[in-house]
Amino acid sequence: MPFSRRDVLFGLGGGLAGATLTPIPWKLLDDSAIWTQRRHALPVPARGPVSERAAVCTLCPAGCPVRVRFHGARPVAVAGNRAHPLGGGACAIGLTLHHLAYHPLRLAGPALRVGQGRAAVTLDAAVARVAQALAAAESRGERVAVLDRRPGRVASDAWRQLLAALPRGLYVTTPGEGETLATLAGGLVKPSALGLDLEHTRTLVSFGAPLLDGWGRPARMRAARRGLRVVQLDAWRSPSAALADEWVRVRPGSEGPMALALAHAVARERSLALEADVARVLDGFAPERVVSRTGVEPGRVVALARTLLQGAPAVAIGGGDPGGGPLSADAERAIALLNVVLGSVGALGGLVPRAPLPGTDREDAARASVRLADVAAGSVGVLVLDAADDGRALPWPVVARVLAKDAVVVSLLPFDGPLARQADVLVPAPAPLEGWDEALPTADAVAASWALSAALLTPPAGTTDTVAFVSRLAEALGRDAARATHEDRLRARAAAIRASGRGRFVARTDGGYADATPADDGACFDALAAGGCWIDGPREGGPSAQPTLRPTLPRAEALERWASPAIEGDGLALVAFAARGTAGTTPPSPLLTKLYQESDLRLPATAALVSPDVASRLGLVERQPVRVEGAAVAVRAELRTDPTLPPGRLVLAAGPDPQTLHAPRGEAPRGALPLATPQADGAWREARVRVREA
Amino acid sequence: MNRRALAAFATGAALALAFGWAAFPRLLYATSEQPLRFSHKTHASDKTGFGCADCHATSDDGRFAGIPRLESCAGCHAEPQGGTADEKRLVEEYVKPGREIEWLVYARQPENVRFPHAIHVKRAGIACERCHPGHGESDALPAHATDRITGQSRGLQKMSECEGCHAEHAASRTACLACHK
């Protein structure tokens, strides 16, 4: 019996119906879903032997030791290294360290700015252009400056040597999170760095510093948290304020007068006999006299002073916020003075002297550097932006202030970003994990330490190690200085540490870490390069050796301004902030969208926070697109309300820049940084903004 | 629909069902035999007294519970424990030369996922059988199957299964980075 067309069609229909009851369509749909991704983004499982290597995360000054897991030559995962003597885990940013070498904003070779674009050039051509600019700047009597965000490395030494050989060289740094300690150290009669004896501290009072959200060495803070009372003075309920034992809402920019009011109350409670100049300063800052400036009721200030005295040893910490920028130098002096009044300098549980890292204790080192805020405006003819990142925001206008007309900016930054985009010459350095790097003592450390991060990945051919660039530049300028390689310099520092006879070396072993006695300098360096570290021993004399201190007092004009009632400006006070490592020059991994855009676990730079009263007064509602207008620039954001936020303030994150995560290039600026208003003292946190419907 | 059309429809459906359930999996998955026959039933019997964790130990940081390394086998199998060909091969080809056995892993996770056994087994108290049912009683290891399209093992747990359990127990259900790296 022949098949008719009708039979065939029924047979096919039956086949289709039957197929829906099998795995064929469903499994094929499921499996082929992988093809819906962009072809270049298709995951290709790494193959090869699995290995694990030690490294140090250098995305912020914490320098957390990490373990990098490799499949073959490809890094596939990063994990914190709790077994390491300096370890204690890693943050979400550190866990994505291995992504950065493949970041879309990665710069892979030298380039010169041509009009609005860039032209790729050879390293020789880039070095020649820089040498030519240096000669021109010197002939015009302008300074040649290097901006180093992470001083103290061997690469910093290379810059210092080169700059010392130049008649108008200037080594420039920016304030870090340890600025309060540095301010106090500057007043010591016998120069020394200071550390925080956190293990014996009972109370910490933070003037806007993110003590519980990424400050110093977080693992140390976590370990000391039990038994430690943290009081956070902040303009908003920041992540650190949310984790603190007590949050005191202060007016934005009132850190200086608040510290003096607190010092006044402490001195009054303790009936201290103060030196005449200190007493004169504090006289004008009785809590009731500065209430309009600080926004804190006098009774609360007195209660807080009693808390500090009952919870002694107590320490006050400033240093600013990674996104909000540093406090003014006068505010830091006021916080330093509070520490003096609290008697925390040199005391057990207070701020204690720390011996310098061997090989870095030359007396000329501190004197040879200058703060960016102290560089004369328009005086720099060539500015080199060193590759190191401290994880803190630095708005371009703050840098641009020091530049002379027609100045040449040279960027060694490995990634494209707001600072690199201003550069005339780009010589990108290797990305994290691609070159040598160091973990230096953190701001809070009571003992010096040193760890190395070896080059675990091969950098692109166009990148140039910072020390190699310094050598090339010295050669082009005909100077003998700074010719040693990066590894040679690291070996020399390791040898200097070993020769000092101080502290202990810790080497990586099969079972973890153990104290080691390297037989020679080579073995010492090898142990450090393989993931070991050096940790200094306790300082002779210990905390009981009270240093002599002559604190620098806030300047008269600052005292006069703080003592007068605050004048409300138009609009809202901008409160900028960022988590450490998200607003620096290293863009975050695109995976951090999980934290900032998909989960809302962190407030992104696309969300502006105001109080419900302000939103209601302006006729704005939750999640409404708005324009936040500064003095010269406006940014777009989505409005959010926070009932804990006092009226008159707008909170906006400075990072991570959403454009570095995934947004298309050329989008309107976002976040707090474009709104920053540089002040004469290097701070940029006091800005006023208006909010309108977008 | 007449009887003849119904027969054609039924024949088509039967052929599709037969192809879909019998032939399609064979086409989709490339199978590979394990290097040696291994009986979980024998090793986990009352006679030996071994539990799962005796051989599949969890590393200190809670990563993969682990296929036992050769040294675990060599403790008992320095000499053949029976007369089977596989027993002889184990001793001659692997234990004596110190060569690791290239076991094929049924549930190897993609590299963008981490699955810490320690958290699931020790903290959450999930029994091994919950995810590996019947494995401990099997007398021979099944062939390893690799999906020709995705390149992943057939035994790989689906994300929906992870999500379902996490949602049920409110375990890090909104945290992508809990599982993804």
Side-chain angles (χ1 to χ4, degrees):
Chain A
M1 188 170 58
F3 288 111
S4 67
R5 190 167 61 182
R6 180 186 169 88
D7 294 337
V8 172
L9 288 173
F10 268 95
L12 287 173
L16 282 174
T20 60
L21 302 175
T22 71
I24 297 174
W26 321 115
K27 185 65 184 163
L28 287 178
L29 267 178
D30 188 15
D31 282 5
S32 59
I34 201 168
W35 296 334
T36 62
Q37 298 185 30
R38 292 180 187 176
R39 185 167 289 276
H40 74 270
L42 279 179
V44 180
R47 298 289 179 220
V50 176
S51 60
E52 195 173 85
R53 298 172 216 177
V56 175
C57 174
T58 51
L59 299 180
C60 79
C64 296
V66 294
R67 294 174 290 128
V68 186
R69 190 164 174 237
F70 280 78
H71 274 206
R74 187 189 299 181
V76 295
V78 169
N81 194 348
R82 288 182 185 277
H84 194 285
L86 300 172
C91 66
I93 301 157
L95 294 179
T96 60
L97 183 68
H98 60 303
H99 296 176
L100 297 176
Y102 311 97
H103 199 284
L105 293 177
R106 180 74 201 281
L107 296 168
L112 299 181
R113 184 155 71 175
V114 181
Q116 293 300 309
R118 288 177 188 157
V121 294
T122 62
L123 177 61
D124 288 337
V127 171
R129 174 74 185 92
V130 178
Q132 179 195 12
L134 288 175
E138 283 183 3
S139 68
R140 294 194 299 266
E142 294 166 350
R143 309 301 299 257
V144 173
V146 172
L147 179 61
D148 186 353
R149 311 281 301 278
R150 210 144 50 80
R153 300 161 298 134
V154 296
S156 311
D157 289 348
W159 282 124
R160 284 173 185 279
Q161 286 173 12
L162 177 63
L163 291 167
L166 300 177
R168 299 189 64 77
L170 200 60
Y171 178 73
V172 183
T173 60
T174 50
E177 60 190 22
E179 193 61 12
T180 303
L181 285 75
T183 302
L184 276 165
L188 293 176
V189 173
K190 187 180 173 190
S192 168
L194 289 175
L196 173 60
D197 186 19
L198 191 57
E199 287 71 19
H200 299 103
T201 309
R202 284 183 60 206
T203 309
L204 276 180
V205 54
S206 161
F207 288 81
L211 291 188
L212 301 175
D213 189 39
W215 186 87
R217 196 154 65 82
R220 189 172 173 228
M221 183 64 79
R222 273 199 305 275
R225 184 68 179 92
R226 190 188 294 265
L228 177 70
R229 182 173 181 79
V230 177
V231 181
Q232 183 80 20
L233 278 65
D234 229 326
W236 71 297
R237 193 171 178 269
S238 63
S240 195
L243 294 167
D245 299 289
E246 185 180 351
W247 167 41
V248 181
R249 292 193 298 193
V250 297
R251 285 171 55 98
S254 69
E255 292 84 359
M258 184 64 200
L260 294 182
L262 207 45
H264 180 105
V266 168
R268 200 160 53 188
E269 291 289 319
R270 288 180 70 184
S271 305
L272 280 179
L274 298 170
E275 290 190 18
D277 53 348
V278 175
R280 205 164 37 244
V281 166
L282 295 186
D283 271 352
F285 288 89
E288 56 275 11
R289 290 184 64 175
V290 288
V291 65
S292 78
R293 178 67 65 171
T294 61
V296 183
E297 290 301 318
R300 185 90 191 264
V301 178
V302 173
L304 183 54
R306 287 178 183 150
T307 301
L308 297 182
L309 291 173
Q310 286 159 9
V315 176
I317 299 289
D321 180 273
L327 301 179
S328 69
D330 288 313
E332 289 293 356
R333 289 173 191 142
I335 298 168
L337 189 58
L338 172 59
N339 278 305
V340 174
V341 173
L342 284 168
S344 63
V345 183
L348 186 75
L351 301 167
V352 295
R354 178 179 73 216
L357 191 63
T360 65
D361 46 356
R362 296 189 312 275
E363 284 199 0
D364 62 327
R367 283 202 293 269
S369 69
V370 60
R371 283 289 153 88
L372 182 61
D374 297 330
V375 179
S379 64
V380 174
V382 175
L383 176 68
V384 181
L385 304 171
D386 181 77
D389 186 11
D390 63 356
R392 293 165 70 94
L394 181 61
W396 169 248
V398 176
V399 181
R401 184 190 67 83
V402 304
L403 297 179
K405 187 170 178 287
D406 300 326
V408 171
V409 178
V410 183
S411 166
L412 307 193
L413 301 169
F415 301 96
D416 214 350
L419 293 186
R421 277 196 279 278
Q422 303 293 337
D424 302 286
V425 184
L426 294 107
V427 186
L433 298 181
E434 286 182 345
W436 288 106
D437 212 334
E438 300 159 72
L440 300 170
T442 50
D444 61 326
V446 285
S449 62
W450 197 55
L452 276 179
S453 192
L456 302 185
L457 302 173
T458 306
T463 58
T464 308
D465 174 79
T466 300
V467 176
F469 177 74
V470 179
S471 297
R472 291 288 295 268
L473 198 53
E475 192 180 332
L477 295 170
R479 317 277 171 169
D480 285 333
R483 294 295 181 88
T485 67
H486 206 150
E487 185 175 329
D488 288 343
R489 287 177 178 278
L490 291 169
R491 284 182 180 276
R493 179 168 285 187
I497 290 173
R498 182 167 172 269
S500 75
R502 285 167 34 199
R504 63 192 174 104
F505 285 95
V506 180
R508 202 173 182 217
T509 63
D510 287 342
Y513 290 84
D515 284 3
T517 310
D520 54 35
D521 289 348
C524 170
F525 180 78
D526 291 345
L528 290 166
C533 68
W534 171 82
I535 303 172
D536 201 2
R539 191 180 167 92
E540 284 177 25
S544 60
Q546 292 269 343
T548 312
L549 178 71
R550 293 202 186 97
T552 310
L553 301 175
R555 292 169 307 153
E557 60 247 46
L559 294 173
E560 193 179 330
R561 192 175 72 249
W562 291 344
S564 59
I567 301 166
E568 281 290 347
D570 290 341
L572 306 169
L574 176 68
V575 180
F577 78 100
R580 185 166 65 168
T582 62
T585 54
T586 307
S589 160
L591 190 68
L592 289 197
T593 54
K594 307 284 184 198
L595 277 180
Y596 283 93
Q597 290 174 15
E598 292 158 37
S599 66
D600 255 2
L601 286 169
R602 289 273 187 177
L603 196 65
T606 52
L609 208 61
V610 295
S611 72
D613 289 349
V614 168
S616 168
R617 182 164 51 81
L618 297 172
L620 302 171
V621 295
E622 181 84 10
R623 303 266 171 186
Q624 180 174 354
V626 293
R627 271 166 58 87
V628 183
E629 297 172 350
V633 183
V635 300
R636 292 172 67 87
E638 183 184 85
L639 194 82
R640 307 273 180 92
T641 56
D642 179 356
T644 68
L645 189 64
R649 299 170 201 184
L650 180 137
V651 177
L652 189 57
D657 181 354
Q659 294 198 53
T660 64
L661 292 173
H662 67 76
R665 304 279 186 90
E667 199 186 66
R670 300 277 192 144
L673 275 193
L675 303 168
T677 309
Q679 285 126 35
D681 56 9
W684 65 84
R685 47 176 49 223
E686 290 176 36
R688 298 204 70 87
V689 295
R690 291 173 181 279
V691 187
R692 295 184 199 285
E693 188 178 342
Chain B
M1 191 186 295
N2 60 26
R3 189 174 297 174
R4 181 172 161 145
L6 195 61
F9 185 89
T11 305
L15 286 172
L17 284 167
F19 178 79
W21 287 106
F24 174 69
R26 290 169 193 272
L27 289 172
L28 183 64
Y29 296 107
T31 55
S32 310
E33 292 298 330
Q34 294 285 3
L36 288 171
R37 180 179 173 277
F38 180 86
S39 171
H40 277 95
K41 189 177 175 182
T42 303
H43 286 81
S45 68
D46 293 341
K47 191 175 164 187
T48 63
F50 287 159
C52 302
D54 289 323
C55 297
H56 299 281
T58 309
S59 62
D60 290 342
D61 63 358
R63 282 180 300 143
F64 185 51
I67 303 296
R69 294 178 66 82
L70 183 68
E71 62 196 27
S72 305
C73 310
C76 299
H77 294 271
E79 296 298 332
Q81 297 295 306
T84 66
D86 282 283
E87 182 68 35
K88 192 177 172 190
R89 278 186 58 222
L90 167 65
V91 175
E92 297 298 327
E93 295 180 22
Y94 295 99
V95 176
K96 285 188 176 171
R99 179 181 153 218
E100 286 291 337
I101 309 168
E102 300 96 357
W103 296 111
L104 301 168
V105 184
Y106 298 113
R108 178 175 168 167
Q109 300 292 330
E111 272 308 322
N112 62 338
V113 176
R114 68 160 73 85
F115 181 87
H117 272 80
I119 289 173
H120 291 84
V121 176
K122 292 182 181 171
R123 194 184 293 175
I126 299 172
C128 303
E129 294 77 19
R130 167 89 185 266
C131 301
H132 307 282
H135 213 61
E137 290 89 45
S138 65
D139 202 27
L141 295 171
H144 182 273
T146 306
D147 190 316
R148 293 183 203 272
I149 296 175
T150 63
Q152 303 292 348
S153 167
R154 187 179 190 175
L156 186 66
Q157 199 163 17
K158 305 292 286 184
M159 187 168 149
S160 55
E161 295 172 56
C162 305
E163 284 177 329
C165 199
H166 274 229
E168 188 183 330
H169 297 286
S172 313
R173 59 184 169 190
T174 56
C176 305
L177 289 174
C179 307
H180 286 281
K181 34 189 173 175

